[in-house]
Amino acid sequence: MFDLDATIVAISTPPGRGGIGVVRLSGDNALTIAQRLFVATKYGDLTQVASHQMVYGWVQNGEQKVDEGYAVYLKSPNSFTGEDVVELQIHGSPQALRATVELCLQHGARLAEAGEFSRRALIHGKIDLSQAEAIIDLIDAKTSTTAQLAATTLSGNLGSKIREIRQRLNFWFTHVEALLDFPEDQIPEIDEHELKSEIAAANTDLLSMLAASAHAWVYREGLKVALVGEPNMGKSSLFNALLGHDRAIVSEISGTTRDVIEETLDVQGVPVVLSDTAGITCSEDKLEQMSVERSIRAIRAAEVLLLVLDATDETATLERFLATVSPAIKTEFLSKKRILVSNKCDQLSPTHISPRADCVLVSAQSLQGIAELKQRIVADYLLQPLAREAIIVTNLRQIEALRHAQVALDRILQNFALGLGMDVQAHELHEGIAALGEITGDNVDDALHAQIFGRFCIGK
């Protein structure tokens, strides 16, 4: 566990050159340290500046000027971390930013750990764990929809709803525990009908969230899609066409693709992680065998498979492809959602036999059918219009905790039907409450904290 008594410092803007760079200090000595290195032109001493007021001045190392910029002091508890915070906004010069951090360290600050500012905000009650995870999701968002979903969670809608449900369950858990622990006291009996009604209502709330979030994880994790097939089917050309630019090398020579190439594209708000794989074939060539092994790993990792066929070759079929792979890979392939893609349709003659009805006809050259293919890829994962008003959970850890809580409440309702005693109900209530606490951070250990905040950058 890090030392909360220390004042921490870090660069809060991305690495590299830019118009503005921010150095953030947080802790009891933030203002004291800042005033030793920042000279406010109008005020001189930063202690004379009101909280949340931005002032112009210079970062200085003694008499030597480092950079000009602005300082803003955010007095506890009215700051992101809940502590005294000073932000120094100077030019986005890597040299100037590093020199400013070094001065802060010389004057008593400690370099922040990954995510330590956000973790301090959690400890001081400024945010809950769902909001903390939403911060990094917003930073890492690959699409505007992902960013919107993260921003909604960051606003506190999920945490507020979970706390409301948890508070209702806690009320009944406390009552049940009191009856079990102090039977001799004159504690009012529980109205089982009222308790059952409350549990059913909470269960409905959790089921609604789970239903609205059924496929929402793809907006955070990305939908993994692999282009697979035999060599020389035009997979790399199709990969480039889907991306909208040349990324993979394309050649008429069979087996050009040797490694798996991966890129992310935005398809109607869904971050699609697209993989171009080497053609799957039987070969004695060790290099080709290695390429095929990597293709097989991509198949295993993907949620959606695009089997690319050659529209000009009537023998290029799903059945022929399945005959070329091992039984294990065949089973893996058939267990996945798959879309048959008939490429090179621009080369078909008018008399050519139409491909099977479940194929998407495309041309990587003319881009015919590419828009339809993109729609097919994400069709099962798009958020429904009505669901946009619901609480949508994209975080798999949080979804698992919701499921755990919902199953516990469902067991309580089943226990009522079986006529089981209140001691059993108390156990299930405790399970449900604890699972909900994993979402807001009321019931997590330091190891999980370290895992979550380890994803953050130093300055956040």
Side-chain angles (χ1 to χ4, degrees):
M1 186 69 179
F2 52 76
D3 179 13
L4 276 174
D5 293 330
T7 296
I8 56 175
V9 65
I11 300 169
S12 291
T13 39
R17 298 162 60 249
I20 296 174
V22 177
V23 174
R24 175 186 285 169
L25 286 155
S26 182
D28 291 343
N29 295 322
L31 184 60
T32 301
I33 293 170
Q35 71 180 10
R36 289 174 180 167
L37 57 101
F38 187 86
V39 179
T41 302
K42 182 177 178 180
Y43 297 90
D45 191 340
L46 277 179
T47 58
Q48 304 302 310
V49 179
S51 179
H52 291 71
Q53 180 181 349
M54 185 175 287
V55 295
Y56 171 78
W58 282 84
V59 174
Q60 294 187 189
N61 183 4
E63 296 300 318
Q64 181 183 353
K65 286 180 167 56
V66 175
D67 196 5
E68 65 175 340
Y70 293 88
V72 59
Y73 167 50
L74 309 172
K75 184 173 176 56
S76 169
N78 300 314
S79 70
F80 171 69
T81 62
E83 303 173 331
D84 280 355
V85 169
V86 175
E87 290 191 353
L88 302 173
Q89 302 180 14
I90 59 177
H91 292 105
S93 157
Q95 297 300 327
L97 289 166
R98 280 197 293 268
T100 302
V101 169
E102 185 59 38
L103 286 172
C104 291
L105 297 176
Q106 290 174 16
H107 291 302
R110 169 174 65 74
L111 193 63
E113 297 178 15
E116 187 170 354
F117 291 99
S118 297
R119 196 166 179 183
R120 289 186 177 210
L122 176 69
I123 290 169
H124 293 303
K126 305 298 287 187
I127 57 174
D128 64 30
L129 193 57
S130 69
Q131 290 172 296
E133 290 181 288
I135 290 171
I136 193 63
D137 290 345
L138 183 57
I139 292 170
D140 288 344
K142 298 291 192 301
T143 72
S144 59
T145 303
T146 305
Q148 289 167 11
L149 290 169
T152 302
T153 303
L154 180 57
S155 72
N157 75 330
L158 173 61
S160 295
K161 185 62 178 178
I162 295 300
R163 281 190 294 275
E164 175 208 321
I165 297 172
R166 201 165 181 262
Q167 187 174 14
R168 282 153 48 193
L169 297 179
N170 255 323
F171 170 81
W172 289 104
F173 176 71
T174 303
H175 197 163
V176 170
E177 283 284 278
L179 279 175
L180 293 173
D181 293 343
F182 308 103
E184 70 281 358
D185 293 351
Q186 294 182 341
I187 298 173
E189 288 295 320
I190 287 177
D191 183 334
E192 285 198 11
H193 177 75
E194 187 178 357
L195 173 56
K196 184 178 178 180
S197 177
E198 283 283 359
I199 297 299
N203 193 41
T204 298
D205 286 342
L206 297 184
L207 284 170
S208 296
M209 280 189 272
L210 286 168
S213 308
H215 295 299
W217 57 267
V218 300
Y219 290 90
R220 181 176 188 263
E221 306 294 331
L223 180 64
K224 293 183 179 179
V225 178
L227 285 82
V228 299
E230 299 173 54
N232 218 29
M233 293 286 145
K235 294 187 295 299
S236 295
S237 296
L238 181 58
F239 180 78
N240 290 338
L242 287 166
L243 289 179
H245 64 269
D246 288 346
R247 173 66 176 85
I249 296 174
V250 176
S251 168
E252 294 181 359
I253 302 171
S254 180
T256 301
T257 303
R258 294 291 193 177
D259 205 350
V260 175
I261 303 174
E262 191 174 278
E263 286 285 342
T264 300
L265 67 153
D266 181 346
V267 181
Q268 299 184 52
V270 177
V272 174
V273 184
L274 196 64
S275 297
D276 180 27
T277 69
I280 297 178
T281 183
C282 295
S283 173
E284 297 300 319
D285 183 273
K286 288 188 176 181
L287 189 58
E288 282 198 11
Q289 289 176 355
M290 290 172 63
S291 300
V292 170
E293 278 300 316
R294 294 191 178 193
S295 296
I296 290 170
R297 287 201 293 270
I299 290 174
R300 291 190 175 120
E303 282 89 31
V304 179
L305 300 174
L306 304 184
L307 177 60
V308 184
L309 305 172
D310 185 343
T312 65
D313 181 357
E314 294 179 12
T315 68
T317 62
L318 168 64
E319 291 72 24
R320 190 178 85 179
F321 170 76
L322 293 177
T324 67
V325 300
S326 68
I329 297 306
K330 179 179 178 179
T331 302
E332 186 84 38
F333 180 88
L334 293 175
S335 71
K336 305 276 186 177
K337 177 187 175 181
R338 56 198 180 276
I339 300 172
L340 304 187
V341 184
S342 195
N343 191 21
K344 308 179 185 178
C345 70
D346 56 316
Q347 299 177 28
L348 292 177
S349 66
T351 59
H352 198 283
I353 299 173
S354 298
R356 51 194 293 171
D358 57 351
C359 266
V360 180
L361 268 176
V362 303
S363 167
Q365 297 301 317
S366 70
L367 303 185
Q368 177 185 337
I370 295 299
E372 180 191 348
L373 177 56
K374 287 182 177 181
Q375 172 63 30
R376 286 278 294 272
I377 290 170
V378 300
D380 292 342
Y381 301 92
L382 293 174
L383 293 176
Q384 299 303 312
L386 291 177
R388 289 185 179 275
E389 302 303 318
I391 294 175
I392 298 171
V393 185
T394 62
N395 185 302
L396 287 173
R397 185 193 72 81
Q398 296 167 3
I399 289 172
E400 185 58 32
L402 275 179
R403 286 200 188 101
H404 188 173
Q406 188 276 317
V407 168
L409 298 191
D410 201 50
R411 282 198 296 261
I412 293 174
L413 296 175
Q414 293 174 27
N415 291 343
F416 274 120
L418 295 172
L420 298 182
M422 281 296 173
D423 55 337
V424 179
Q425 304 291 49
H427 171 75
E428 298 297 351
L429 265 172
H430 181 267
E431 285 288 302
I433 291 167
L436 293 176
E438 292 176 11
I439 298 173
T440 56
D442 296 298
N443 185 45
V444 295
D445 56 25
D446 285 343
L448 182 57
H449 272 171
Q451 178 184 333
I452 290 171
F453 289 101
R455 294 180 56 220
F456 284 59
C457 57
I458 299 295
K460 194 60 187 175

